[in-house]
Amino acid sequence: MRVFPDRISSKVIFVCLTFLLALTVLGSAQPWKSKNKHSSVSKDRITALEEKVERLEGRIEKPLWVTGILFLYASVAAIWAQSTDRNAKKWFILGALLNVVTMIAIIMINIRDKANQKRNLMSLGHSKKKPDAA
């Protein structure tokens, strides 16, 4: 007389029984509870750790606005470089890394370019003269 049907092998039944046994053992497991006097110390420790996590989260939020400002400096430098036929990628990187120094350099270069442009116009004879009235 056969105990198992023809279609179900003994290996499948062994795996199923092992699975059910594991579920029974794991399902009946209870979490470990400390019954000693140090439980209040561990609660204080947990509270202290939670406060540290909150402080660390605050530190993460601060750099977000700083990153936005750095991106703004870098974008202004790149747009200026592109409008003056300079390498926008290099100026973007300079604006992100050396933001205030880059803005001062942009102002100085812009002043120098304007002076050179004015000097070139005057040397070509395009200075502003009033037309002779005859």
Side-chain angles (χ1 to χ4, degrees), residues 51-112:
E51 290 173 0
K52 284 184 179 180
V53 168
E54 288 176 9
R55 278 184 277 162
L56 289 173
E57 286 174 347
R59 288 183 186 173
I60 291 172
E61 291 173 3
K62 288 179 184 176
L64 290 178
W65 66 268
V66 172
T67 305
I69 291 174
L70 293 178
F71 184 76
L72 181 67
Y73 275 114
S75 299
V76 167
I79 291 169
W80 171 82
Q82 190 174 13
S83 68
T84 57
D85 294 330
R86 289 179 170 84
N87 190 338
K89 290 178 186 176
K90 289 181 183 178
W91 280 96
F92 182 86
I93 293 170
L94 280 173
L97 297 177
L98 306 170
N99 43 49
V100 175
V101 175
T102 303
M103 291 301 127
I104 293 171
I106 287 174
I107 292 169
M108 299 302 290
I109 291 171
N110 207 21
I111 290 171
R112 187 188 68 202

